[in-house]
Structures are given as structure tokens and as C-alpha cells.
Amino acid sequence: MKPGMFLRVALIALLLALVLKPGAFAPAFAPFAPENGPVIYTRSSLLSLSLSHLGLVAMASLAATIVAVTLAILVTRPAGAAFRPLSRTITNVGQTFPPVAVLALAVPALGFGAGPTLVALFLYGLLPIFENAMTGLSTLPASTMEAARGIGLSRWQRLWRVELPLALPVILGGIRLSVVIALGTATIGSTVAARTLGEVIIAGLLTSNTAFVLQGGLIVGLFAVLIHDALVQLEKYLAQRSGRG
Amino acid sequence: MIEIDRITKLYGQTRAVDAVSLTAETGTITAIVGTSGSGKTTLLRMINRLVEPSSGEVRINGEPTHAVKPHLLRRRIGYAIQGHGLFPHHTVARNIGAVPELLGWPKEKIAARVDELLTLFGMEPAEFRDRLPLELSGGQQQRVGVARALASRPDLLLMDEPFGALDPIIRTRAQEDLRAIQRKLGSTIMLVTHDMDEAIRLGDRIAVMDGGRLVQYGPPEEIVAAPATAFVADMVGDAERPMRLLSLIPVSDLVEPGTAEGAPLPAEATLREALSACLWTGREAVPVETEGAPAGRVTLAAIRARAERHA
Ligand SMILES: Nc1ncnc2c1ncn2[C@@H]1O[C@H](COP(=O)(O)OP(=O)(O)O)[C@@H](O)[C@H]1O
Ligand SMILES: [Mg+2]
């Protein structure tokens, strides 16, 4: 536990430093920059890019969660069982359709900026959440569900008081996967002028400046690792509290 | 009073329950016994409408169950099942208080009821009320499951093999506890079991099911002494019959004046225990006492004569 905690604090400190005081890392990145070229990305503030990046991921993931969980609830009701294969197909297509293609298709409709990126991240994020929510809602302990009906909980009460709380740790596992994928995928949004950390990486690629690529990649990677870790901790806590951990 | 009136359940061509009628008096335990697949669970689940009957009706204190919305009906009927079915994410107190909460009891009244029931089941409230089900032994989980079913003082308590998952020693204790608590509270219970011993031990009346039909319904003595069909006789077991009969008769029935050697038995002990004591210690009679005072004796000869009489 202790070494893990130490590593966590160290990574957070590193991330904060990279975002807030990028200048301090000039010596470290200098070997990767072209001769006489810029070492540190200064065209926009890394803090504002980070916030915009995280904001896009949060919005897309929230929307994907609402839609995927609602869909999973509907198809795990007796009346919705017939729609299970169809909804599986839809979410699967969302996942197999490359985000780059979604961007290309969405730009004519939504214009440049955050819109197409949100759509791509949303579609890409549906499947893991939907699959986990389905698993969580359809593998509840049978005797508990029988008792919930038997003592007189209505459908809604069963859903809110028993099914969702018990499935929550599994659903959260899907959200975690989806968020981590979205954190990485959001970088390509910069190709259609969404403000994300991808801007730094793309600037590096266009000017053959490996220092920029490393800088952007490192920040995105650290966000992904730390958010992943935080969600894993939350899942563990919830699993314990729901008496199944 | 619970009246089951020609109730039937069809699953396709299968008659899971076939025109079963029976009446259970308030304050009694009815044990529904039969082999696996004989329709016991289906019969029980039609009473609280977890299964809707194909035909026939159930009346509780004269009121037909189909006149009430199913989930509201179920709040008036306790329900305890094998594997307890507790809510793993709720504390013991919240589990026991689940139905009173649904019925809108005030918080203090629920808390008091929870503590009362925990005490009744021999579980110290302060120690157990905030635990999660995971933090209880199997026997304790089962007791909490039964306590939950009793919490709102329901008109009727349905139990489907409630002790099926417990090991034999804990099961016997749980049966004794249930009997004692039922006597104390005067609850009406319908209990499903595949175990004839459990039915005899707990039932005021026993309903024997075979292939969806009710083949015999009567007090345990009658089931044991006069099985209505070969199937019932089989359930009782030929070799077991004398012992089962003796286990239903208290020593006090045969007590006679006089003395005998050896350790005394209480008057509530059964003739089966008296016979066992005679055989094991080679005595012709055992002394009987009521509340510690000598009350006479029971002789081996009297027990034999009683067994031959077949009730
Ligand atoms: N939901 C159902 N669908 C189809 N058949 C069922 C269903 N429930 C029970 N049955 C059938 O009804 C019969 C009685 O089952 P059940 O009441 O569970 O018996 P028991 O509890 O005595 O073991 C069995 O033949 C069983 O296969
Ligand atoms: Mg059964």
C-alpha cells in the first residue's frame, strides 16, 4: 500500500509540474527538439488545453453512460429482452467504426470544433459501458432478486434499491474503460480544431519536433493512468460497501 | 384463516399444481411436503402471487388475493426462502426493517422492532444491527432472513425450504427456534420442505404433494399412522413409522405412578426419547419429572403397547 501511495503522489506532482511549469522541463526535452527549434510548446497554455481535453472526455463519457446504462436497463427488463440483440449490434457498430471516420463524417454536419469530437468519443464509449451494465444487471444473486419481489418491492424500487446499487461496481468498470479510451482518442480531435492536448502532439508531428510529441503524450498518459487508478479505487470501495467485495 | 380453493397452475401441458384445496387455521404451521418437482414451490408462490394461478383462488381471512395489487399483497405476507435472499448491500437492521420501511412505519418504531426481533432470535442487537450479511454465519443469515419475513407482523408467513442450506445441527436448532417463536407470536405459517422429518417436527398439519396434486392433508399423527396412498407411505418410510409416531407423543400421555432407576426425563420429552433411553441403558422404565419434581414413570411395555395401537 505504502509504495503505491508514494508512486501516486509522485505521478500527480509530475503531472502538475508538466502542466503548470512546462518551462522547467526544457533541459529534459531539449535532446528531442530540432536544432535551434522550440523545446517547450507555448502557443497555448497547457493548463487550458488540459482542462478543455478533460471537459470533452467528461461530457462525452457522461452522455455515453446515461445512454448505455438506460439501454442496458431497458433490455434487461422482461419486456425489453427482444431488443437485446439489436442494442448489442448498435453499440458494437459504435465501437468498430473508427473515430477518425466519425470525425470526417461529422464535420460537414457539425462544423469544425468540439462537436465532431464529442460525437466520436460518445459513440466509441458506448460499448464498454453497455456491456458491463448488461453483465452487472443480469448476474445479480437470484435469491436476492426473488426475495426483493417476494417482500413487496415494486419494479422501480427493485431497480433503484437493489439492482443498480448491486450492479454499480461492474458498471463503473465499464465507465473506467470508456473514459481511459476517450482520454487517448480525444487527441485526434485536434485534427478538426477541437481544443485538446492532441494540439501539442500534432504540432510536434507537423514540425518534426519529437519534444512536443513527448510532452503532449506524457501529459495525456499521466492523466489516463491517474484517472484509471482513481476509478479502480472507487470500484473497490463500492464493491466492499455493496457487500460483495 | 387461509383458504386455498381449487387452485391450478398450468405450464404448457404440465399441471405443476392441480386443483389443490386446503384451509389453514390462523396461528398454525402447515408443512407442505413432497418430492422435488411435486409443485410445492409453485403452490406457495401462488399464495403471494409471485406466480399467477391459471384457475382457482386464495383467500386470506376471507379476502381474495386477486383483489389486491401484487406488491401490496406481498407486503402483508412474510416471505423467507432457501439461501436467505438478504440484500448484501444493506445492514442487518435495514434488511429486517425492509418491509416496515415500505409500509411507512416511523423510524423509531422500525428500530425498536429490529432490536426486538434480533433479541428474539438470540442475536445481540448492538453487536449485529450494523453488520452486512457477508459478516454473518450461515445460521445467522438464515435467522435474519426469517426475522425480515416477520418484521411487519404479517397475517401469514410463507417459507420455501428456509433451512435447506443449513447443516444438520444448525438446522435442528433453527427448527426449534422457529417453533418457539411461532408459538410465542401466534404466527400463521406455510412452510415448504422435501424433508418429512422437518414436516413432522414443525407442522400442525401436513399437506403431502405428489405430481401437482394434494394427496393427503392432516395432522402428523394421521399422516404417519394412516398414509392415504402408497406415495405418502413411502415418504413416511416403513422402517421409520413406529419411531415417527412415538416422536409425536409426549411422555406425559403414558406416565403412570411409580418409580424407576436412572436419569429422569422431562414430561415434555417424546416417547421416542423415552424408548431410546430404555434401550440404551437397559432399563424397563424411566422416571419422569415435571419442573424438577418426580411425576411417575414410563415403562417400556407401555411404549410398546402404544406403538402397536397406531394412533
Ligand atoms: N416457470 C416455470 N415454467 C415451466 N415449468 C415450471 C416452472 N416452474 C415450475 N415448473 C414445473 O412445475 C413443476 C413443479 O415445480 P415446483 O413447484 O418448483 O416443484 P417443487 O418445489 O415441489 O420442487 C415441475 O415439473 C417444474 O418443472
Ligand atoms: Mg421447490
Side-chain angles (χ1 to χ4, degrees):
Chain A
M1 197 63 220
K2 279 228 170 106
M5 211 57 209
F6 175 77
L7 187 63
R8 214 168 274 154
V9 171
L11 289 179
I12 292 172
L14 178 63
L15 176 60
L16 286 176
L18 276 167
V19 172
L20 298 173
K21 290 247 175 283
F25 291 85
F29 287 121
F32 304 101
E35 273 183 61
N36 302 322
V39 178
I40 299 299
Y41 189 78
T42 50
R43 242 173 291 161
S44 20
S45 123
L46 289 179
L47 178 62
S48 95
L49 283 182
S50 296
L51 290 179
S52 160
H53 189 113
L54 293 179
L56 280 175
V57 170
M59 270 199 283
S61 299
L62 182 68
T65 300
I66 292 171
V67 171
V69 172
T70 307
L71 207 58
I73 290 173
L74 290 177
V75 301
T76 48
R77 305 304 98 183
F83 298 98
R84 209 176 285 195
L86 179 67
S87 51
R88 270 228 158 92
T89 311
I90 294 174
T91 52
N92 266 301
V93 168
Q95 177 86 14
T96 37
F97 215 72
V100 186
V102 176
L103 288 185
L105 289 174
V107 167
L110 300 173
F112 284 89
T117 311
L118 277 175
V119 171
L121 295 183
F122 164 77
L123 287 179
Y124 213 48
L126 282 177
L127 182 75
I129 304 178
F130 176 74
E131 283 294 330
N132 273 41
M134 284 263 297
T135 307
L137 288 170
S138 52
T139 56
L140 298 165
S143 69
T144 299
M145 293 310 297
E146 162 88 2
R149 264 186 87 204
I151 68 169
L153 269 70
S154 66
R155 279 172 195 279
W156 273 106
Q157 289 168 333
R158 292 204 297 273
L159 180 64
W160 282 109
R161 298 187 188 194
V162 183
E163 297 178 51
L164 284 175
L166 288 180
L168 189 59
V170 185
I171 297 177
L172 206 60
I175 296 176
R176 166 168 55 86
L177 251 142
S178 185
V179 165
V180 169
I181 295 173
L183 277 168
T185 313
T187 51
I188 61 164
S190 293
T191 56
V192 293
R195 281 178 51 80
T196 77
L197 288 162
E199 201 178 300
V200 185
I201 298 170
I202 289 164
L205 291 173
L206 293 178
T207 59
S208 307
N209 186 339
T210 311
F212 283 4
V213 177
L214 280 176
Q215 209 178 342
L218 202 55
I219 294 174
V220 172
L222 281 172
F223 271 125
V225 167
L226 286 167
I227 290 173
H228 181 271
D229 175 63
L231 289 172
V232 168
Q233 299 306 319
L234 184 62
E235 274 163 54
K236 274 193 195 157
Y237 170 76
L238 287 174
Q240 249 161 32
R241 257 198 17 168
S242 69
R244 306 177 85 190
Chain B
M1 189 169 68
I2 317 302
E3 296 163 277
I4 297 176
D5 192 355
R6 292 193 61 80
I7 205 165
T8 297
K9 181 68 190 181
L10 296 169
Y11 285 116
Q13 295 297 312
T14 324
R15 289 181 172 268
V17 172
D18 191 1
V20 168
S21 297
L22 63 84
T23 302
E25 296 300 329
T26 301
T28 63
I29 299 186
T30 303
I32 302 168
V33 66
T35 47
S36 171
S38 57
K40 309 179 295 293
T41 295
T42 307
L43 176 60
L44 196 77
R45 287 162 56 101
M46 283 194 282
I47 297 172
N48 65 359
R49 292 178 63 191
L50 284 172
V51 170
E52 291 293 348
S54 307
S55 66
E57 71 170 23
V58 177
R59 291 181 295 275
I60 299 178
N61 299 328
E63 188 190 0
T65 52
H66 56 72
V68 191
K69 279 211 173 106
H71 68 279
L72 299 180
L73 173 74
R74 290 180 204 132
R75 291 176 194 176
R76 292 174 18 198
I77 301 177
Y79 190 54
I81 52 177
Q82 179 168 3
H84 64 75
L86 294 176
F87 301 133
H89 57 309
H90 287 172
T91 60
V92 165
R94 247 196 110 182
N95 267 290
I96 297 178
V99 181
E101 189 198 327
L102 289 174
L103 294 172
W105 288 21
K107 274 206 170 66
E108 313 76 60
K109 192 176 161 196
I110 298 178
R113 180 67 176 155
V114 167
D115 286 3
E116 183 187 341
L117 281 163
L118 281 173
T119 311
L120 192 61
F121 281 85
M123 294 168 74
E124 177 57 43
E127 188 185 338
F128 287 101
R129 70 165 88 83
D130 295 322
R131 291 205 195 171
L132 288 175
L134 197 72
E135 301 161 335
L136 302 176
S137 72
Q140 290 165 343
Q141 290 170 340
Q142 197 54 47
R143 273 180 269 168
V144 173
V146 177
R148 174 174 67 181
L150 285 167
S152 65
R153 300 193 179 81
D155 301 332
L156 170 64
L157 177 54
L158 305 178
M159 309 181 90
D160 194 348
E161 312 218 7
F163 309 127
L166 303 181
D167 59 61
I169 293 175
I170 296 175
R171 183 187 315 172
T172 309
R173 263 228 36 213
Q175 289 166 347
E176 283 164 4
D177 287 353
L178 178 69
R179 196 64 174 132
I181 287 166
Q182 185 266 343
R183 289 260 156 79
K184 194 163 158 188
L185 303 178
S187 332
T188 311
I189 299 181
M190 292 238 172
L191 177 137
V192 160
T193 176
H194 60 259
D195 175 4
M196 186 53 100
D197 271 326
E198 182 165 284
I200 291 175
R201 201 169 299 152
L202 290 175
D204 293 302
R205 292 184 142 244
I206 296 180
V208 186
M209 298 277 297
D210 180 18
R213 307 186 128 257
L214 178 65
V215 289
Q216 190 169 9
Y217 180 49
E221 296 79 9
E222 185 192 308
I223 305 282
V224 173
T229 66
F231 175 80
V232 181
D234 233 31
M235 284 294 295
V236 175
D238 276 340
E240 257 80 44
R241 276 172 59 182
M243 288 306 186
R244 290 207 153 123
L245 191 61
L246 292 178
S247 76
L248 289 166
I249 308 168
V251 165
S252 54
D253 270 23
L254 289 190
V255 78
E256 60 186 61
T259 55
E261 294 293 302
L265 282 171
E268 314 81 67
T270 66
L271 290 184
R272 178 182 183 153
E273 290 165 86
L275 174 65
S276 170
C278 285
L279 293 178
W280 194 248
T281 55
R283 287 179 284 176
E284 286 298 320
V286 283
V288 177
E289 57 177 30
T290 26
E291 283 155 17
R297 62 175 184 178
V298 171
T299 64
L300 190 53
I303 297 173
R304 239 176 78 183
R306 184 68 181 79
E308 282 167 4
R309 239 180 63 209
H310 300 179

